[in-house]
Amino acid sequence: MVKPLTFKGDKKAKKRKRTTTDQNDDDVPERQKKQFKASATSSDITTTAAAASNEEIEGEEHDDSWVSADTPSDVSGPIMFVLPTEPPTALACDVTGKVFTLPIENIVDGNPATAEPHDVRQVWVANKIVGTENHRFKGHHGKYLSCDKIGLFTASSDAITSLESFTIIPTFDTPGTFQIQTLRETFLTVCASNSSKANAAPEVRGDATEISFDSTLRIRMQARFKPRIKASKEEKAREKISRRELEEAVGRRLEEDEVKKLKRARREGDYHEVMLDMKVKGKHDKYG
């Protein structure tokens, strides 16, 4: 037998050893092979659908869109204080701890309810102080917002004291807006700059003793931290169950209205009771 020419450096082709499985495969009738292939394809589709569902849920968990806080209990995670200035500005700080107002660029038609940060200096991380109804606000550089006894704001503290503790109060006659109160019962407020420069940015102080338009602000936050949105997403996750999974749980094939009924029960919290009723019904139908 004539062999093909080979050259130095050529890779030798490895011969595939015939296994017992391969031999057995030849003995399997063509019809059974087709059935196995169809079964594998169905399994692949189910796996792919499950993976897509998981990706959708994970995507929702990493939702970085911005929404407005409606109540003080909503305020958590990355937030932005939208101040009552014209044009709208945000409370900001730099790495030295200086606190100032910074114009908002990501906003639609000047509407504070659409504002989003364009600069990390406008972002604060809000957390409730354990055992209290007060909040603390950490800047992008890891230091806490603080208001001293004369009403001067800074962001250079590493620890939480009464100066770094604030109460978020909903504005009585303007839903969706808040007052930021210190523990000395004074309020964060905006005021005209004392600078002699033209078009100087407004300033913020913490010594206002009364609620006013200048102390009324909005709080924007990331959607994934808002409790009601989180609850809605968890509810959606509970709804994501396939017909196959439901049929396996009940132990028989289900009609379309039964599938809808079980999915509705998962949302409403009586899934196990409804499933048990369907199991009992299936037994009655079988032996009745």
Side-chain angles (χ1 to χ4, degrees):
M1 181 179 176
V2 180
K3 293 184 179 180
L5 292 172
T6 59
F7 300 90
K8 187 176 180 181
D10 285 354
K11 291 183 178 180
K12 292 183 180 180
K14 292 183 180 179
K15 290 185 178 179
R16 181 173 175 270
K17 291 184 178 179
R18 193 172 177 81
T19 63
T20 308
T21 307
D22 292 333
Q23 292 171 353
N24 293 341
D25 228 21
D26 294 338
D27 300 332
V28 178
E30 191 64 27
R31 184 172 57 81
Q32 290 185 16
K33 286 183 180 181
K34 287 180 179 178
Q35 287 177 347
F36 175 76
K37 186 176 180 181
S39 174
T41 304
S42 175
S43 176
D44 290 344
I45 291 171
T46 304
T47 303
T48 304
S53 176
N54 289 337
E55 284 177 8
E56 186 179 342
I57 294 169
E58 286 175 8
E60 289 175 345
E61 288 175 352
H62 294 86
D63 183 3
D64 290 335
S65 62
W66 289 75
V67 296
S68 295
D70 297 315
T71 67
S73 60
D74 287 344
V75 181
S76 178
I79 67 165
M80 177 173 72
F81 295 106
V82 182
L83 303 172
T85 57
E86 186 57 45
T89 58
L91 187 70
C93 69
D94 61 21
V95 292
T96 66
K98 180 182 178 182
V99 174
F100 53 95
T101 62
L102 191 63
I104 299 170
E105 294 181 8
N106 291 345
I107 191 167
V108 179
D109 297 330
N111 182 0
T114 66
E116 295 186 10
H118 69 275
D119 190 316
V120 70
R121 294 177 297 173
Q122 297 173 325
V123 180
W124 302 83
V125 178
N127 287 110
K128 211 166 188 182
I129 300 172
V130 179
T132 73
E133 292 301 312
N134 303 322
H135 282 74
R136 62 189 181 194
F137 306 110
K138 184 187 287 186
H140 65 96
H141 58 323
K143 307 290 185 180
Y144 292 101
L145 181 67
S146 177
C147 182
D148 67 16
K149 295 177 180 178
I150 62 171
L152 180 65
F153 279 103
T154 55
S156 55
S157 176
D158 292 309
I160 300 298
T161 68
S162 60
L163 302 182
E164 292 75 35
S165 302
F166 299 91
T167 305
I168 302 173
I169 302 173
T171 309
F172 175 71
D173 55 353
T174 315
T177 64
F178 303 93
Q179 310 294 322
I180 305 301
Q181 187 181 50
T182 70
L183 294 193
R184 295 184 307 282
E185 299 187 355
T186 56
F187 300 96
L188 180 153
T189 187
V190 291
C191 55
S193 173
N194 291 324
S195 172
S196 57
K197 294 181 182 179
N199 299 321
E203 295 181 351
V204 286
R205 292 194 57 81
D207 54 2
T209 56
E210 295 181 358
I211 292 173
S212 67
F213 173 82
D214 291 333
S215 66
T216 303
L217 52 80
R218 290 182 183 273
I219 298 176
R220 298 282 288 166
M221 61 182 292
Q222 285 191 345
R224 61 194 172 104
F225 289 95
K226 193 169 182 178
R228 271 167 282 185
I229 292 177
K230 283 176 73 175
S232 174
K233 287 176 180 175
E234 286 169 4
E235 183 178 318
K236 284 183 182 178
R238 285 197 299 271
E239 291 175 20
K240 293 185 184 299
I241 184 170
S242 68
R243 183 190 193 107
R244 181 180 175 183
E245 289 173 310
L246 291 172
E247 289 179 341
E248 286 177 354
V250 176
R252 63 177 175 84
R253 290 184 64 83
L254 297 172
E255 300 295 332
E256 188 62 32
D257 61 325
E258 291 178 316
V259 172
K260 290 180 180 178
K261 188 174 181 180
L262 279 169
K263 287 187 176 182
R264 185 169 61 251
R266 279 173 69 86
R267 293 194 302 270
E268 295 173 355
D270 57 346
Y271 170 71
H272 295 288
E273 291 85 345
V274 174
M275 183 178 65
L276 185 60
D277 289 344
M278 287 191 182
K279 282 184 175 181
V280 172
K281 178 180 180 294
K283 288 179 180 178
H284 288 169
D285 291 345
K286 185 176 180 180
Y287 298 107

